[in-house]
Amino acid sequence: MTVALRLLGLLLSVVPPTVATLEFFPLWLGNGKTALSAVSLVLLLLSAIPLFRILKKHLHTPAPWMLWLLLWVLLRALLPIAAAIERIALISFPTSLIGAFCFSLARRREKRHTEVA
């Protein structure tokens, strides 16, 4: 009976806030694109606090298969986001490198200009 009450308490404290969050705040911004709503993520994390407490209590020494399963699920969920971030980095890295080079050239020219004057 105690286990059933704890499970019921967990379900009542996690599921309704999660459903309400997903109902009123969309998880994905736009038309199914890879942009996640930060408000939704924060509210979902707050909704899952009771679940995290129970997992922490029972996972003091988790089995390796459980850790690999959790890692796989997490990485699978983040795969679309990682692909989008990779494209952003692919564009941002070379342009930032060129920008840093331009700043370096400008700094050298300013030094020469102040030395001459």
Side-chain angles (χ1 to χ4, degrees), residues 36 72-83 85:
L36 285 170
W72 178 77
V73 168
L74 178 68
L75 292 175
R76 186 72 183 160
L78 296 176
L79 190 61
I81 299 166
I85 291 172

Side-chain angles (χ1 to χ4, degrees), residues 41-82:
L41 287 178
V42 168
L43 292 175
L44 286 174
L45 287 174
L46 288 174
S47 300
I49 286 175
L51 181 63
F52 294 147
R53 286 184 177 172
I54 289 177
L55 286 175
K56 183 180 173 187
K57 183 189 297 184
H58 292 289
L59 294 180
H60 283 296
T61 55
W65 67 268
M66 188 180 297
L67 292 174
W68 283 113
L69 177 66
L70 290 173
L71 182 63
W72 178 77
V73 168
L74 178 68
L75 292 175
R76 186 72 183 160
L78 296 176
L79 190 61
I81 299 166

Side-chain angles (χ1 to χ4, degrees), residues 2-115:
T2 308
V3 173
L5 284 174
R6 287 187 182 174
L7 183 61
L8 180 64
L10 177 67
L11 290 174
L12 287 174
S13 61
V14 172
V15 174
T18 302
V19 170
T21 298
L22 292 174
E23 181 70 27
F24 292 106
F25 296 99
L27 185 58
W28 301 101
L29 297 175
N31 297 327
K33 298 194 178 189
T34 57
L36 285 170
S37 169
V39 173
S40 295
L41 287 178
V42 168
L43 292 175
L44 286 174
L45 287 174
L46 288 174
S47 300
I49 286 175
L51 181 63
F52 294 147
R53 286 184 177 172
I54 289 177
L55 286 175
K56 183 180 173 187
K57 183 189 297 184
H58 292 289
L59 294 180
H60 283 296
T61 55
W65 67 268
M66 188 180 297
L67 292 174
W68 283 113
L69 177 66
L70 290 173
L71 182 63
W72 178 77
V73 168
L74 178 68
L75 292 175
R76 186 72 183 160
L78 296 176
L79 190 61
I81 299 166
I85 291 172
E86 181 184 21
R87 282 187 230 115
I88 293 168
L90 186 65
I91 294 167
S92 300
F93 172 70
T95 56
S96 294
L97 196 60
I98 293 169
F101 180 71
C102 291
F103 282 119
S104 175
L105 287 177
R107 196 172 28 246
R108 284 185 195 167
R109 293 191 82 184
E110 285 177 356
K111 281 185 180 179
R112 280 192 216 154
H113 183 67
T114 55
E115 289 175 0

